[in-house]
Amino acid sequence: MKTLSLNRNQIKYLVILAMVIDHIAWRFVPSCSWQGQVMHFIGRLTGPAMAFFIAEGFIHTRNLKKYLTRMGIFALISWIPFCLYFNVRSPLGTNFGIIYTLFLGLLACYFDQRKDQNPQVRRLAVCACMLLSIWGDWPGYGVIMPLLLVRNYQDKSRMWRAYFEMTIIYTFLLGFFEIVGGAPIRCELYLSGILLPLFLLRFAYNGQAGSRRPFHKWFFYVFYPGHLLVLYGISRLLAS
């Protein structure tokens, strides 16, 4: 029995709170300050946890086509708010945000599980999703993590091992390239927070969905671009 038992909705709201804390820090708090490091540490909960729930969504959805359509539409809706808030100016150097990357992760799972399709075609489609994720938040990770979780879903021991190993590798590579690029080590300590969702999901998630009310399903999709616009508006007011 789990000491702490949280359903999917409860964990998603924790993840949303962590995301807001992280986004506030990127705009209003110096990243290398201890406050910035703590806020970004908490924010590392978001990406891995949402990648996990994309895998769960793929396994349990009743209508994958609607799920993909919903993710694609809100990835597009979120693009402008993300660019505004994070000051992404050039279309060639754009970033579509985390929903875009997770949409590609869901799409990669779909291609990977198409057993009626030629294996080479499936692999090429998955590779294309990986490549396209360069223009998203949590590039690469948000695609390959749901893929690994779906592949190992029937063997929970292998699934959690894949989750842990992939997360450690991604964290090491991200930190390595940041430090090689000139970032001080003390400014990259927050990356260790990427392990937070592993422990939360492994030892607190009870596997239950929680309330089925439509509000819970739609809240994150609407909240993501909405909170970016609100924070952007606040930043503009403070700058004026």
Side-chain angles (χ1 to χ4, degrees), residues 162-196:
Y163 198 172
F164 178 76
E165 290 174 354
M166 179 60 195
T167 299
I168 290 294
I169 291 170
Y170 184 83
T171 306
F172 172 79
L173 291 175
L174 191 60
F176 175 77
F177 286 116
E178 288 288 339
I179 292 169
V180 168
I185 293 178
R186 65 184 177 84
C187 297
E188 303 301 316
L189 296 176
Y190 75 94
L191 289 174
S192 60
I194 203 172
L195 293 175
L196 286 175

Side-chain angles (χ1 to χ4, degrees), residues 14 27-28 62 75 82 95 101 104 115 135 146 153 160-162 168 175 181 186 194-195 197 207 211 237:
L14 283 176
R27 189 87 178 197
F28 301 104
R62 297 175 183 175
F82 190 94
N95 189 314
T101 310
L104 291 173
K115 303 306 181 186
W135 289 279
Y153 196 79
W160 289 117
R161 186 166 64 249
I168 290 294
R186 65 184 177 84
I194 203 172
L195 293 175
S211 171
L237 285 174

